[in-house]
Amino acid sequence: MRKFSSSSAYYQNKLKLALIGQSLFGQEVYTNLRKQGHKVVGVFTVPDKDGKADPLAVVAEKDGTPVFKFPRWRVKGKPIPEVVEAYKAVGAELNVMPFCSQFIPMNVIDFPKHGSIIYHPSILPRHRGASAINWTLIEGDKKAGFSIFWADDGLDTGPILLQKECPVEPNDTVDTLYNRFLFPEGIKAMVEAVQLIADGKAPKIPQSEDGASYEGIQKKSNAKVNMAQPTEVIHNWIRGHDKVPGAWAIIDGKVLTLYSSSMLSGSVPTGQPIEVEGASQPGLIAKSGLILFGSDGKALQVKNLQFEDGKMIPASKYFSSEETASLDLTDDEKKMAEEIRVIWKGILSNVPAIDDTTDFFKSGAASMDVVRLVEELKQKCGGVQLQNEDVYMATTFQSFIQMFVRRLRGEDQEEELVIDYVTKDINNMTVKMPHQCFINGKFEDAEDGKTYNTVNPTDGSVCLNFLLAVFIIYLQQKLNFLTSFVCSLADLMEEHQEELATIETIDSGAVYTLALKTHVGMSIQTFRYFAGWCDKIQVAQRYPSIRPDPIATSPLQRKSLWGDVCAIVIPWNYPLMMLAWKSAACLAAGNTLVLKPAQVTPLTALKFAELTVKAGIPKGVINIVPGSGGLVGQRMSDHPDIRKLGFTGSTPIGKQIMKSCAVSNLKKVSLELGGKSPLIIFSDCDMDKAVRMGMSSVYFNKGENCIAAGRLFVEESIHDEYIRRVVCVSIYFKYLNLIISVSYQSSFFMEPTVFTDVEDHMFIAKEESFGPVMVVSKFKDGDVDGVLSRANNTEFGLASGVFTRDINKAMYVSERLEAGTVFVNTYNKTDVAAPFGGFKQSGFGKDLGKTEQNTHCIITLYHFKTSFMTMRIMCMCIQVRKPFMSTCGLKL
Ligand code: NAP
């Protein structure tokens, strides 16, 4: 029997603590120390500000822990006796100081049996002083981290107890470093440090003076950017001062404070020049922000600008920052505004009432309150993409509501996404096509700037000059998708269906009407279908044991969202539809995906990427990386962080991918490969139908169809008539094509072709043609088993078909055809709800339907001992109470 937290061992070596500090960090440390069984005998924090208590005080007061809010501990360097006495009276054995901003007298620091420990956000002895995180960035350090040390007189020189470090990413900010590492790991480390002291294992390592530095808090007056430096140094300066006190420069003759800097890795966007004092060249106001150039000619981008009067704007709006018209709110939006007012009131508890002019910051809110506001709103209105900086840009209640409603309506989103469109006038419309890689929610140039051309197959003209992806993935987000995201994606695709179909036509050569109905139409249906699965995936199933013995278990199978990184590689024949078939199921199971379209047909995938942003799908969840299979596709197969690869394409490449997936990290792989599907036409068929459907079985989508009938077996007695009719119709099509478009003569299109009297040993009888080529063979009248054996004599097994009016024959033949799909008196039918896929060398794994959904989920088996109590405890432990309990027939 496992011992739970009530065991006496848990309470061994626990200490009586005084918490001296403040903020959410202090609050979390306090809560976690108590959870570990330590007793907090007193909390010493800062006085209420504008009637608002510090978060540490708020929780401690709720718990009934004594809370002291001394404004200071010393006067003129001397400890205040009453304060020190009050402190001593709590009887702490150790002072824990998370984020302590006050000077604490040494007779308090040294008073407890174990002394005092303090958290500092740098790897000491580097960056002693209060602005350590800022200086880590300003100095361009490659490592950040924190130290927990034995407190000294405030100069951060005490012996080290423990330190932890993390790499600094090129575009890290104070916020990202803090939120990603310093805050969460710092809390854990404080708790760990206290336990080490309690267990008598805490070291005291004297700080070395090697590499020591002390930097003060930067003042605004000192934060001016020196533009005559390399770009990275300027970038470090700006991000190190973001948000406090803010680095500034004289731009266009004004003092502008610069926020959200990032190094520009791709080509410099176009924009309107703007004078920057001290810079080697003017800056640019581009769609993505303010571009600044350092002395080395490299560029950085600043997202937001603040004027001297405190007003902040997106830098891209510098030349057009006039007020936007105020929105009229709907009734629902008004209701939501009232709910937001309550949230504001909860944060600004010192303000008697929140009216339209209430200013968040002038009412006393600090940066932690911004985090709280954003988090509370995200919880209330799931799906809205809100950043901390949005609060800084809309500081009054009214402007905040206007911004929030715009964001909810999706009005701001297109502006935020910068797309360097290539436009084309075609099909009575102007189509707008993105042409860069889509990574982490942004369209970006390839790292090495390489490009290639895509070609319009109808006339051989260059569609556009395309940017080649170098494989960079930012795939950290693993989100459970809400049905609404996937549904709105389908709605947006429907809204843009003509544009998508037109792009598909010029890119893949699809017939426009077919592109509209099938390529785009079925893609929309696919997303709608899988949207329905999003919230129905997590289920549990019980397998009753057949073992009668007392140690029998009762296995439970749990299916859950996977939430991992999946790769998708697709071919060129149905670019958008293959994307939809593969990615909808993947998204609906909460996975992040990286998709490589075929090099020759990347355009609809990138248009799709644009729509995912409009649909509110979080950044990084969908990534589109165009480029060649040998480079980008191969790297995806080899990548150690990808857990599943879904491939549709040819059999030889499928084999290569499977091998790479196995060797790299044994990633799960599904393969939808080529086919050479047999179609058997018996003499008792409906001849008109057999001719019509037989032709479409071959020529549908110009024969570029994986399930195309690769070989027709026609019963001898009707063979000649069948061929005569097929040829007549083919000739008609041929002339029709010539009449419709003379430009086809210079294009990549091939005329419909028919081969007759094909024998089994011939190359065209065995290999996939993937074009408008009909391959016809005869079989002897009545030789059903003979033709079956010839039809099955192939390495492929994707699809097959039979035409006969005899139901017994239809059943007999269809049961014996070795293929994933068998069509009877029809062909080319697919349904988004039904699984699709082949066997033998046509691959394995299915697209579409419930089966496909399963491949993107995790299936885990739990063995439970079948006594009621054990089952109950286990179910609670794995936190999936409801499904498990209902499956087990138990109630909590
Ligand atoms: P393909 O040559 O196999 O290419 C398919 C995709 O794989 C392309 O994106 C290609 O990139 C990429 N690729 C090439 N080498 C790779 C590698 N070493 N690692 C990873 N990816 C690599 O097929 P295709 O000519 O485009 O398409 C036609 C084939 O697809 C036919 O055999 C057809 O039957 C099959 N297909 C099957 C289904 C089905 O559901 N079973 C559906 C449609 C098509 P590039 O951009 O460089 O070409």
Side-chain angles (χ1 to χ4, degrees), residues 452 568-574 578 581-582 596-601 627-637 645 647-654 656-657 660 671-675 704-707 768 770 796 798 836-838 842-843 847:
Y452 70 91
I568 294 174
V569 178
I570 49 172
W572 49 267
N573 58 333
Y574 291 104
M578 289 298 104
W581 282 24
K582 294 253 174 267
K596 189 200 90 66
Q599 188 168 199
V600 289
T601 53
S628 78
L631 177 67
V632 183
Q634 186 61 47
R635 293 290 290 278
M636 288 159 105
S637 313
L645 192 148
F647 173 73
T648 298
S650 63
T651 299
I653 301 293
Q656 160 72 26
I657 285 181
S660 305
L671 302 174
E672 293 292 342
L673 308 177
E704 292 159 1
N705 194 12
C706 54
I707 51 171
E768 185 180 27
F770 221 60
F796 295 103
L798 191 56
F836 175 93
S842 290
D847 277 340

Side-chain angles (χ1 to χ4, degrees), residues 488-501:
S488 56
L489 187 53
D491 292 347
L492 279 159
M493 288 170 78
E494 192 163 43
E495 214 176 281
H496 289 259
Q497 59 180 330
E498 282 89 4
E499 198 178 5
L500 283 166

Side-chain angles (χ1 to χ4, degrees), residues 100-160:
C100 177
S101 63
Q102 296 176 316
F103 277 104
I104 310 298
M106 284 312 286
N107 58 342
V108 170
I109 298 275
D110 294 334
F111 180 76
K113 179 163 98 181
H114 295 291
S116 304
I117 56 165
I118 186 161
Y119 170 92
H120 181 82
S122 83
I123 312 166
L124 289 171
R126 200 160 160 72
H127 306 307
R128 292 169 177 163
S131 298
I133 315 177
N134 304 67
W135 284 99
T136 302
L137 295 171
I138 294 170
E139 299 270 302
D141 293 2
K142 299 294 174 219
K143 281 188 311 193
F146 58 80
S147 310
I148 294 169
F149 68 98
W150 298 92
D152 62 350
D153 54 3
L155 292 175
D156 306 332
T157 53
I160 304 291

Side-chain angles (χ1 to χ4, degrees), residues 455-462 737-738 741-751:
V455 173
N456 180 345
T458 56
D459 58 9
S461 65
V462 172
N737 278 346
L738 287 176
S741 173
V742 279
S743 70
Y744 276 19
Q745 288 164 347
S746 62
S747 73
F748 300 152
F749 289 85
M750 183 182 171
E751 292 166 13

Side-chain angles (χ1 to χ4, degrees), residues 7 165 194 198 346 438 832:
S7 80
E165 57 185 52
V194 170
F438 184 71
V832 294

